[in-house]
Amino acid sequence: MLSSSTSTLRLHQPTRGPRRHLLPPASHQFRSATASRRLPQRGGTVIRALDAAQPFDYESRAAGLLEDRQRLKIAIVGFGNFGQFLARTFARQGHTLLAHSRSDYSSLAASVGASYFQDPHDLCECHPDVVLLATSILSAEAVLRTLPVHRLRRNTLFVDVLSVKEFPKNLLLSTLPPDFDVICTHPMFGPESARDGWDGLPFVFDKVRVGDCPARRARAEAFLNIFEREGCRMVEMTCAEHDAHAAETQFLTHTVGRMLAMLELQSTPINTKGYETLLRLVDNTCSDSFDLYNGLFMYNKNSTELLNRLEWAMDSVKKKLFDGLHDVLRKQLFEGSPHAPNTTTVRK
């Protein structure tokens, strides 16, 4: 038993060294949340901290950076019906939009959040990542030659969405500087056929010229990803292959639709399903301008041959019908039909 007079109880605290920061200063870069942290302590003890708390979510931040890199500044040259149709989806995906057209579409551009430029020099000085040519086929060359491409960045990506492909490919390659990237595309749908969305609809593309560096390849993929995200069926083929197929899938369809329109077909009380399909074909094809149809003929070398084949097919069907009619008449006239005339009667 200790006496209070003869003993003194002293409490000793361990000697502390300088205080250490358990987290690096805010100005330093943090490591991944799953990285182990080595914190030296007195006596050589090492503490490993796994899944240490971080000031923000790195996965979320990385996803945001990736999404930012996939956002593009797209200049739509030719802001007519089809250009506006594409712009609505581009804007919904968060891309920055610029618009230029010969007509004043400033109010329509504003409605989808696009900046409108009447002067192409002002448009090009904004340095878009992508210049999208969405003019009519007939006016594409004239419009392209009015663009001051020397005001653009020297590796700008040009994309066309014309309904023929060999013509714009040759036009872009011969007109643009050699450092510009070129992708020829054709969304095989429009405002009418895609009113319920783009899911499952074919999108044809040909990477005609894309620079061999990561940034330019990533930009090309980011543009194509716009259509992939909407569920399009991505079809990569050469421009020549496209035009060979499109002569049948598109030009033939438009030709038949316009021929039927000349007949001024009307709905009847006894419509069949097939007849209603023909009426819808007239509506779908004639809702497009005649310039589009004329362009499909003028700028696709396969269209002339197809038109000749269509004419031959019509003549063949007519010949088969009339040959059958002539066979019936011959039997009536010469093979004892009761309605055949009596050619043996001799008048006296």
Side-chain angles (χ1 to χ4, degrees), residues 2 16 18 49 51 124 141 310 338 341:
L2 296 176
R16 296 190 180 185
D51 297 323
C124 293
E141 183 172 5
L310 183 62

Side-chain angles (χ1 to χ4, degrees), residues 81 192 254 258 281-290 292:
N81 188 37
E192 288 296 320
H254 277 257
R258 291 190 175 273
L281 177 61
V282 173
D283 290 339
N284 289 339
T285 54
C286 293
S287 63
D288 292 322
S289 68
F290 188 82
L292 170 62

Side-chain angles (χ1 to χ4, degrees), residues 95-343:
H95 300 283
T96 301
L97 299 182
L98 317 174
H100 166 69
S101 197
R102 290 177 297 181
S103 302
D104 184 6
Y105 289 118
S106 54
S107 59
L108 287 170
S111 69
V112 296
S115 301
Y116 186 78
F117 298 88
Q118 192 74 43
D119 190 326
H121 289 260
D122 296 334
L123 177 83
C124 293
E125 287 176 352
C126 291
H127 292 166
D129 301 307
V130 181
V131 176
L132 184 72
L133 191 63
T135 65
S136 71
I137 301 172
L138 300 181
S139 63
E141 183 172 5
V143 171
L144 183 61
R145 294 191 185 280
T146 65
L147 291 179
V149 295
H150 61 281
R151 296 184 180 273
L152 296 166
R153 285 197 294 258
R154 65 182 179 86
N155 65 351
T156 302
L157 170 60
F158 264 74
V159 179
D160 85 279
V161 289
L162 275 60
S163 298
V164 294
K165 293 275 66 75
E166 280 280 272
F167 164 66
K169 171 190 171 181
N170 295 331
L171 176 64
L172 293 171
L173 290 178
S174 63
T175 304
L176 298 176
D179 287 331
F180 280 33
D181 290 341
V182 174
I183 300 179
C184 291
T185 77
H186 184 195
M188 304 291 292
F189 50 86
E192 288 296 320
S193 57
R195 67 178 68 182
D196 297 324
W198 300 1
D199 189 43
L201 300 176
F203 177 82
V204 179
F205 66 97
D206 184 4
K207 298 177 186 176
V208 175
R209 184 173 68 198
V210 177
D212 189 20
C213 80
R216 292 167 74 170
R217 290 196 300 268
R219 179 180 59 188
E221 292 304 322
F223 178 80
L224 295 174
N225 188 53
I226 294 174
F227 298 87
E228 193 167 3
R229 285 179 60 184
E230 295 299 317
C232 290
R233 180 164 55 86
M234 307 298 285
V235 183
E236 184 170 11
M237 66 171 55
T238 66
C239 293
E241 289 176 311
H242 167 276
D243 284 0
H245 292 307
E248 296 180 352
T249 61
Q250 195 169 30
F251 177 69
L252 177 61
T253 302
H254 277 257
T255 299
V256 173
R258 291 190 175 273
M259 288 171 58
L260 293 173
M262 298 296 291
L263 299 177
E264 298 182 352
L265 302 178
Q266 301 293 327
S267 182
T268 74
I270 55 171
N271 286 0
T272 62
K273 293 294 184 182
Y275 186 72
E276 289 179 351
T277 300
L278 296 181
L279 294 178
R280 286 196 300 272
L281 177 61
V282 173
D283 290 339
N284 289 339
T285 54
C286 293
S287 63
D288 292 322
S289 68
F290 188 82
D291 279 352
L292 170 62
Y293 175 59
N294 192 25
L296 295 175
F297 173 71
M298 292 285 292
Y299 292 97
N300 188 343
K301 63 182 180 181
N302 302 282
S303 296
T304 301
E305 179 190 357
L306 184 64
L307 205 57
N308 291 333
R309 287 168 54 199
L310 183 62
E311 188 175 5
W312 168 84
M314 186 64 190
D315 288 341
S316 297
V317 171
K318 287 171 60 178
K319 184 176 183 301
K320 190 171 183 179
L321 290 174
F322 284 113
D323 283 351
L325 177 62
H326 291 161
D327 288 342
V328 172
L329 290 176
R330 288 190 188 96
K331 289 180 181 180
Q332 290 179 351
L333 291 173
F334 304 114
E335 295 182 11
S337 170
H339 299 290
N342 185 359
T343 56

Side-chain angles (χ1 to χ4, degrees), residues 79-92:
F79 203 65
N81 188 37
F82 195 72
Q84 296 164 28
F85 164 68
L86 294 177
R88 286 189 284 272
T89 296
F90 294 172
R92 180 167 49 77

